[in-house]
Amino acid sequence: MYIFISSKKLDKLIYYREKNWKLFYKLFKDDDRFYIQHNHNRNKNASFAFTLIIKDPKKINKQKIYKELNKNKIAYRLITGGCFTAHPYRKYFNYNVYNNLNNALKAHKDGFFVGNAGQDLTRQIVSFYQILKNI
């Protein structure tokens, strides 16, 4: 089964995702507690999610963040399932690691994302920012 989307509808979805991204970036770019994803052209990012990685877990507790997000009914996920080698099913695969996986393990341990959508999320993004700001 194929689902076709009109060019007009696609343009609208992209418009809102980019608008949401700009607000997310504006709010979080100077927050020294998190690494956020960067884009060479910040005005043209229609990603499906907003990614955050806690810089120093000694200064901000991931479980406290998750508790507050749950309390406020904000869904979050690990970044793309995290680092492959950090999951128990890795024992079923034969693989080699070249050099190290420091960045992947950091993202796995201290990263999460919340969704973006093809609609105006201004209120939700500001609320998300306020919740994290108050932790």
Side-chain angles (χ1 to χ4, degrees):
M1 177 179 182
Y2 293 98
I3 298 174
F4 294 98
I5 188 166
S6 72
S7 176
K8 186 177 178 180
K9 186 172 182 178
L10 182 59
D11 289 345
K12 181 180 175 186
L13 294 173
I14 292 170
Y15 167 80
Y16 279 115
R17 282 187 175 204
E18 289 176 347
K19 179 180 186 285
N20 295 336
W21 168 259
K22 288 176 199 173
L23 177 59
F24 172 82
Y25 187 81
K26 178 182 171 186
L27 293 173
F28 284 95
K29 69 180 175 154
D30 295 323
D31 190 326
D32 63 355
R33 300 172 303 159
F34 301 103
Y35 297 110
I36 62 171
Q37 83 191 75
H38 289 272
N39 193 38
H40 291 295
N41 185 350
R42 288 190 248 311
N43 295 325
K44 295 292 181 189
N45 189 332
S47 65
F48 75 95
F50 308 119
T51 304
L52 298 105
I53 299 173
I54 299 167
K55 287 183 179 180
D56 185 351
K58 293 174 189 154
K59 291 183 179 179
I60 185 168
N61 182 289
K62 178 175 70 171
Q63 295 309 317
K64 189 170 183 178
I65 291 172
Y66 292 172
K67 182 178 178 182
E68 287 300 311
L69 296 179
N70 285 329
K71 185 171 100 177
N72 288 279
K73 297 183 170 112
I74 298 173
Y76 58 89
R77 302 285 183 272
L78 285 176
I79 299 172
T80 62
C83 179
F84 174 82
T85 63
H87 289 283
Y89 57 75
R90 75 189 180 289
K91 67 184 175 186
Y92 300 108
F93 296 90
N94 182 18
Y95 63 91
N96 294 312
V97 173
Y98 175 76
N99 205 349
N100 67 60
L101 299 173
N102 293 342
N103 291 336
L105 290 166
K106 175 70 174 163
H108 179 86
K109 183 179 173 200
D110 298 322
F112 65 100
F113 71 83
V114 294
N116 190 0
Q119 62 192 43
D120 186 359
L121 297 178
T122 299
R123 185 177 53 81
Q124 291 90 336
I125 294 168
V126 170
S127 175
F128 174 65
Y129 174 72
Q130 289 298 328
I131 290 164
L132 293 184
K133 184 178 173 186
N134 292 328
I135 293 177

